[in-house]
């Protein structure tokens, strides 16, 4: 197949390049509106109890948590007649907006005093916008400018879940553009240095353009059928350019080596695709299957990263194996033009030719293999120290504190926690369906709920309850907590923080109470949603890990014919990953090194989805470098039969390529640290650290040490598996002889 692709690139290069340009233009037009179709939500399991309860509240009772909150600060106390008049005008204005299902204001008659700040200088207006996450976000974007800023004598700021999603979406889009503006110029300069000429440096940009635009087009199409998270675009650019650089660098490097042996363009290109092209194909499959593991999670936030990543990998593979060879065929011997460091490279090449086997990576591999045990012990202990903080990891979901402090959603959230303590806990709602409870049954159930630790008050259609007793009659309008067919719901005011251990215990205790006979109880609210999210993640995680482990083992076995090397790769990658997770806990949970990553609000927790996302993404990228290195080691081993020589030669030929590719990819992920949204900072720093650690520490030190200790056992497999590899596996000595290649059709 790869030989046929090489022939296609040589014989039909103009057609290939013309179709690539036309496809790029059409796909660019297709993906143009993609950002307006994406959402900032996606953290809930659509089949969970909390989601079903929230849907029932919205559709059957026209009720639910307020998701749009206005913090109004008058120029006088909130009970001053002028402030009351302005507050009622603001409330009426909000009620008149389309998409607003309900509004509760401090300035409404009979409203709870909890909506007034402790110092009496500000008050809240709580609204619930109707529709799903996408509709709510669009409504917030339309309504917020109309009811914020100076509203008469009030200074008004907007917050709540709807504004958190909208503002996070807008801020990430702006910050991502700035991050790309920082990373792209640096990358362009380094591409010239790494690829050795101005012409060659443009090649990965062509592949990257295809992969990024193609991935956005995939998101555009998928968004027509299912929600897609806007944060998936953070992965698109960084991963697209990173894989384009990896694959292009590997193929172009091999192509240059073949040219240096005096072979013509046609011969060199075929040899490059048969060897390095095969490696790129295997690498693409490993990254692709690692990202596919994200599809087992029900949260569309995580699934969106799978959609984006799969699109990037597929288009990067097509660009590298189809478009890049056509470009190389068209460029031919001109690939080395416009090299500002030509003289430096020439002197370096002369020294390398005079002293073969004395490169930096060759010397490193040789030194490690002389003392493998000390290297192995010291490096593993060092990584273990980084792992330790992960043992105390505390997880949560992003809220307003993940935004920069200058965003109004963050300011409103902070004000609620500081000045409105009765609202800071975030309550629960319990729906009862299937049988209408009578007044006694409903009251008895409410009394039991009010005794749960963390529950401050329970409101029902028949009355309010505190600490196991009725404290007040039903508030006006409470009859809406019943439907005509008998379904009911109860509102639980809580003083427990939703993502805390006490909040989770409260949800467990509430769900453990038996509902009235014949009724089915479901619990909604932030704490319940978080509990269900955790259950969904932990339930799916073993399947994701199994998918990655099995596919990695199978692919690496087919690539190497060994059963030991795949196990080694999985173990070393897990060690590197957990060390990265430990570093993220130290920085973002404990609040250290803010001078390095920029200011953020440390909540004592990290986003629970980040370790899972990073596990799948980084594992795939680690296998990317593993395949590159093993391809050369196996090729040398098949040629010489000497394990030490093969490891040293393999690291010498790929070490500089892997470290350069890792550095270039890390630049884009490091640039994500400048994004103001904290989970994106975590993704950027964690992925960059893992990439560099893998390329330098794992590939440069642990792999040579391990392979030296294993010796010939590196390539061992039981008889049946060895025969399977001989039938289905890939051979690393496949290389067209110059005479045979010369007889094949030449480039036109």
């Amino acid at each position: 197949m790869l030989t046929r692709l090489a022939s296609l690139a040589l014989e039909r290069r103009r057609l290939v390049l013309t179709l690539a340009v036309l496809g790029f233009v059409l796909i660019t037009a297709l993906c143009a509106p993609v950002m307006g179709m994406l959402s900032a939500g996606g953290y809930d399991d659509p089949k969970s109890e909390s989601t079903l309860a929230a849907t029932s509240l919205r559709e059957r009772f026209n009720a639910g948590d307020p998701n749009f909150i206005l913090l109004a600060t008058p120029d006088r106390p909130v009970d001053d007649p002028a402030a009351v008049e302005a507050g009622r005008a603001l409330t009426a204005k909000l009620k008149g907006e389309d998409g607003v299902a309900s509004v509760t204001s401090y300035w409404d008659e009979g409203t709870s005093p909890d909506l007034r700040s402790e110092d009496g200088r500000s008050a809240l207006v709580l609204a619930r916008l109707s529709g799903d996450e996408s509709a709510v976000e669009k409504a917030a974007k339309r309504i917020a400018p109309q009811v914020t800023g100076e509203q008469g004598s009030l200074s008004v700021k907007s917050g709540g879940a709807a504004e958190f999603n909208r503002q996070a979406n807008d801020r990430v889009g702006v910050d991502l553009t700035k991050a790309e503006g920082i990373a792209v110029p640096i990358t362009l300069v380094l591409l010239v240095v790494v690829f050795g000429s101005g012409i060659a440096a443009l090649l990965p940009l062509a592949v990257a353009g295809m992969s990024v635009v193609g991935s956005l087009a995939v998101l555009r199409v998928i968004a027509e059928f299912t929600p897609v998270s806007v944060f998936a675009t953070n992965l698109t650019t960084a991963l697209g350019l990173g894989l384009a650089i990896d694959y292009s660098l590997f193929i172009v490097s091999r192509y240059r080596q073949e040219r240096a042996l005096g072979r013509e363009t046609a011969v060199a290109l075929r040899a490059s695709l048969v060897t390095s092209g095969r490696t790129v194909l295997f690498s693409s499959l490993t990254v692709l299957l690692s990202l596919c593991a994200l599809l087992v999670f029900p949260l569309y936030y995580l699934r969106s990263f799978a959609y984006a990543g799969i699109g990037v990998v597929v288009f990067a593979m097509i660009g590298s194996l189809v478009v890049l060879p056509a470009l190389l065929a068209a460029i031919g011997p001109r690939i080395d033009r416009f090299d500002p460091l030509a003289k430096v490279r020439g002197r370096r090449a002369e020294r390398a030719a005079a002293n073969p086997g004395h490169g930096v990576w060759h010397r490193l591999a040789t030194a490690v293999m002389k003392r493998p045990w000390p290297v192995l012990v010291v490096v593993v202990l060092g990584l273990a120290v980084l792992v330790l903080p992960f043992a105390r990891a505390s997880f949560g979901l992003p809220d307003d504190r993940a935004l920069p402090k200058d965003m109004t959603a963050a300011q409103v959230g902070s004000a609620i926690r500081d000045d409105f303590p009765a609202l800071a806990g975030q309550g629960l709602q319990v729906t009862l369906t299937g049988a209408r409870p009578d007044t006694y049954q409903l009251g008895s159930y409410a009394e039991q709920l009010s005794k749960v630790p963390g529950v401050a008050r329970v409101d029902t259609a028949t009355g309010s309850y505190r600490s196991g007793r009725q404290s007040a009659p039903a508030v006006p309008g409470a009859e809406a907590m019943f439907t005509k067919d008998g379904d009911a719901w109860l509102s639980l005011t809580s003083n427990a923080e939703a993502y805390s251990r006490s909040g989770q215990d409260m949800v467990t205790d509430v769900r453990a109470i038996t509902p009235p006979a014949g009724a089915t109880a479901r619990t909604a609210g932030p704490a319940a949603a978080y509990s269900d999210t955790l259950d969904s993640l932990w339930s799916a995680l073993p399947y994701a890990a199994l998918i990655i482990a099995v596919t990695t083992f199978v692919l690496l076995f087919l690539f190497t014919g060994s059963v030991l090397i795949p196990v080694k790769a999985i173990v070393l990658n897990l060690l590197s990953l957990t060390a990265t997770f430990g570093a993220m806990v130290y920085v973002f949970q404990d609040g250290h090194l803010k001078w390095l990553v920029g200011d953020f609000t440390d909540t004592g927790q990290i986003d629970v989805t980040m370790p899972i996302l990073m596990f799948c993404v980084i594992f795939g990228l680690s296998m990317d470098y593993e395949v590159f290195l093993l391809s050369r080691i196996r090729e040398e081993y098949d040629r010489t039969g000497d394990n030490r020589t093969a490891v040293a030669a393999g690291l010498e030929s790929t070490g500089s390529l892997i470290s350069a590719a890792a550095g270039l990819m890390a630049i884009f992920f490091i640039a994500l640290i400048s994004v103001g949204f904290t989970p994106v900072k975590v993704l950027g720093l964690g992925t960059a650290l893992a990439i560099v650690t893998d390329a330098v520490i794992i590939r440069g030190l642990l792999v040579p040490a391990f392979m030296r200790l294993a010796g010939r056992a590196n390539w061992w497999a039981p008889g049946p598996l060895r025969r399977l590899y001989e039938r289905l596996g890939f051979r690393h000595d496949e290389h067209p002889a110059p005479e045979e290649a010369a007889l094949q059709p030449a480039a036109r």
Side-chain angles (χ1 to χ4, degrees):
M1 180 189 70
L2 294 171
T3 303
R4 289 195 295 271
L5 284 177
S7 298
L8 177 66
L10 288 164
E11 300 172 21
R12 297 287 186 268
R13 58 178 180 270
R14 291 181 181 176
L15 176 62
V16 170
L17 295 178
T18 300
L19 292 176
V21 171
L22 291 176
F24 180 83
V25 172
L26 292 174
I27 292 175
T28 300
L30 174 65
C31 71
V34 65
M35 295 303 293
M37 303 175 65
L38 307 182
S39 171
Y43 292 95
D44 297 328
D45 179 355
K47 297 181 180 180
S48 67
E49 176 182 327
S50 58
T51 301
L52 295 175
T55 301
S56 178
L57 283 168
R58 183 174 65 248
E59 295 178 352
R60 299 178 65 80
F61 299 96
N62 191 30
D65 279 328
N67 51 21
F68 187 79
I69 300 174
L70 298 180
L71 174 67
T73 305
D75 55 8
R76 61 200 69 196
V78 295
D79 293 315
D80 185 271
V84 172
E85 182 180 356
R88 289 177 176 171
L90 173 66
T91 303
K93 186 176 183 179
L94 181 58
K95 288 180 178 179
E97 293 286 343
D98 291 337
V100 177
S102 63
V103 177
T104 302
S105 169
Y106 171 72
W107 290 287
D108 287 338
E109 293 185 7
T111 302
S112 169
D114 292 341
L115 300 183
R116 174 183 180 274
S117 66
E118 292 185 323
D119 62 5
R121 302 298 304 178
S122 58
L124 297 177
V125 180
L126 311 180
R128 185 173 57 81
L129 306 183
S130 58
D132 58 16
E133 284 184 330
S134 179
V136 166
E137 187 177 332
K138 291 177 181 178
K141 186 173 186 177
R142 173 175 46 82
I143 295 171
Q146 307 300 320
V147 295
T148 56
E150 300 302 319
Q151 300 287 327
S153 62
L154 303 177
S155 177
V156 184
K157 297 177 180 179
S158 57
E163 277 294 86
F164 163 69
N165 286 339
R166 181 185 72 84
Q167 293 181 25
N169 193 341
D170 292 345
R171 185 59 179 259
V172 167
V174 172
D175 287 354
L176 187 59
T177 301
K178 293 180 180 177
E180 292 171 352
I182 296 171
V184 169
I186 298 174
T187 303
L188 289 175
V189 173
L190 294 178
L191 281 174
V192 176
V193 175
V194 171
F195 276 79
S197 75
I199 294 293
L202 296 176
L203 297 176
L205 297 181
V207 178
M210 284 189 58
S211 59
V212 171
V213 171
S215 177
L216 292 177
V218 169
L219 295 182
R220 164 73 170 79
V221 173
I222 293 176
E224 295 282 355
F225 304 98
T226 185
V228 177
S229 172
V230 67
F231 300 119
T233 58
N234 298 316
L235 186 67
T236 297
T237 303
L239 189 60
L241 185 58
L243 291 180
I245 291 171
D246 284 358
Y247 299 162
S248 300
L249 184 57
F250 210 62
I251 292 175
V252 170
S253 174
R254 189 58 180 252
Y255 173 74
R256 277 184 165 140
Q257 290 177 14
E258 298 295 332
R259 292 279 300 173
L261 295 175
R263 291 169 180 163
E264 297 295 329
T265 298
V267 180
L269 191 56
R270 288 189 175 91
S272 300
L273 281 189
V274 168
T275 54
S276 296
R278 178 187 53 234
T279 302
V280 167
L281 179 61
F282 251 87
S283 172
S284 301
L285 290 175
T286 57
V287 178
L288 185 70
L289 292 172
S290 292
L291 292 170
C292 282
L294 290 169
L295 295 175
V296 305
F297 296 98
L299 281 62
Y300 80 73
Y301 172 79
L302 289 176
R303 297 171 70 91
S304 299
F305 282 92
Y307 305 147
I310 291 170
V312 164
V313 174
V314 169
F315 280 95
M317 179 176 63
I318 294 172
S320 300
L321 298 180
V322 179
V323 179
L324 178 61
L327 287 170
L328 288 173
I331 294 170
R334 298 185 295 275
I335 191 172
D336 294 322
R337 287 187 179 181
F338 308 112
D339 182 6
L341 302 176
K343 293 183 179 180
V344 176
R345 296 184 203 278
R347 289 193 295 267
R348 186 181 301 168
E350 291 175 0
R351 289 195 300 268
N355 299 284
H358 288 77
V360 173
W361 291 97
H362 190 284
R363 293 197 302 270
L364 176 62
T366 302
V368 169
M369 288 189 289
K370 285 181 179 178
R371 298 174 180 83
W373 276 115
V375 171
L376 197 64
V377 171
V378 170
V379 174
V380 169
L381 287 177
L383 292 175
V385 171
L386 292 177
V387 171
L388 291 177
F390 191 56
R392 63 173 186 274
S394 177
F395 299 110
L397 288 175
D399 59 16
D400 57 88
R401 291 169 291 183
L403 291 170
K405 295 177 182 177
D406 61 348
M407 305 292 287
T408 63
Q411 295 168 0
V412 171
S414 177
I416 290 175
R417 281 184 288 273
D418 295 340
D419 302 329
F420 300 85
L423 302 178
Q426 301 176 304
L428 299 174
Q429 300 86 40
V430 177
T431 62
L432 297 174
T433 58
R436 177 168 185 166
D438 57 31
T439 301
Y440 173 78
Q441 290 175 319
L442 189 62
S444 176
Y445 184 57
E447 286 181 5
Q448 295 180 67
L449 292 175
S450 68
K451 296 177 183 179
V452 171
V455 175
R457 188 181 75 247
V458 179
D459 295 313
T460 73
T462 59
S464 295
Y465 297 80
R466 292 179 184 267
S467 302
R469 58 186 179 84
Q470 186 168 355
S471 60
V475 298
E479 61 275 4
M481 300 176 84
F482 272 122
T483 63
K484 293 181 180 180
D485 57 2
D487 293 344
W489 70 280
L490 302 86
S491 173
L492 282 63
T493 302
S494 167
N495 53 27
E497 203 279 323
Y499 303 151
S500 66
R501 182 68 262 171
S502 60
Q504 297 307 289
D505 291 340
M506 176 184 66
V507 173
T508 301
D509 293 341
V510 165
R511 288 175 170 173
I513 295 177
T514 304
T520 299
R522 292 193 178 101
T523 306
Y530 176 58
S531 179
D532 291 341
T533 295
L534 286 182
D535 290 343
S536 298
L537 292 176
W538 302 148
S539 297
L541 184 58
Y543 296 101
L546 184 63
I547 289 172
I548 290 175
V550 171
T551 55
T552 296
F553 183 90
V554 171
L555 284 175
L556 286 184
F557 168 74
L558 292 176
F559 194 69
T560 63
S562 165
V563 296
L564 185 62
I565 285 178
V567 174
K568 177 267 301 179
I570 293 171
V571 172
L572 293 186
N573 280 356
L574 287 176
L575 178 61
S576 175
L577 275 169
T578 49
T580 300
F581 296 156
M584 294 306 97
V585 170
Y586 179 79
V587 175
F588 292 100
Q589 179 177 306
D590 300 344
H592 299 298
L593 301 181
K594 288 187 178 182
W595 60 270
L596 178 63
V597 299
D599 190 33
F600 62 91
T601 301
D602 48 299
T603 62
Q605 297 175 325
I606 58 174
D607 180 359
V608 67
T609 62
M610 275 298 111
I612 295 172
L613 174 61
M614 290 168 61
F615 174 77
C616 296
V617 172
I618 297 172
F619 204 97
L621 294 178
S622 298
M623 288 297 101
D624 189 30
Y625 299 137
E626 179 81 3
V627 169
F628 285 175
L629 177 58
L630 288 176
S631 68
R632 282 303 184 91
I633 293 177
R634 182 69 205 225
E635 188 175 335
E636 287 295 321
Y637 184 78
D638 287 344
R639 187 178 65 85
T640 65
D642 186 282
N643 184 68
R644 288 197 193 186
T645 301
V647 172
L651 194 59
E652 180 181 24
S653 60
T654 62
S656 59
L657 299 180
I658 290 174
S659 59
L664 288 167
M665 183 182 288
I667 288 173
F668 260 81
F669 281 104
I670 289 173
L672 294 180
I673 296 173
S674 65
V675 175
F677 191 60
T678 303
V680 177
K681 287 180 180 287
V682 177
L683 177 64
L685 179 62
T687 306
L689 179 62
I691 289 171
V692 174
T693 300
D694 186 81
V696 178
I697 305 299
I698 303 298
R699 307 299 150 213
L701 298 175
L702 291 186
V703 169
F706 180 91
M707 297 191 75
R708 165 66 181 85
L709 293 171
R712 297 184 64 86
N714 283 313
W715 314 107
W716 175 83
L721 289 181
R722 186 170 61 252
R723 289 188 290 273
L724 179 65
Y725 171 72
E726 290 171 354
R727 288 181 55 197
L728 303 177
F730 279 69
R731 303 296 300 172
H732 295 262
D733 54 0
E734 294 175 6
H735 193 299
E739 296 79 6
E740 294 178 1
L743 295 175
Q744 298 180 36
R748 292 175 182 170

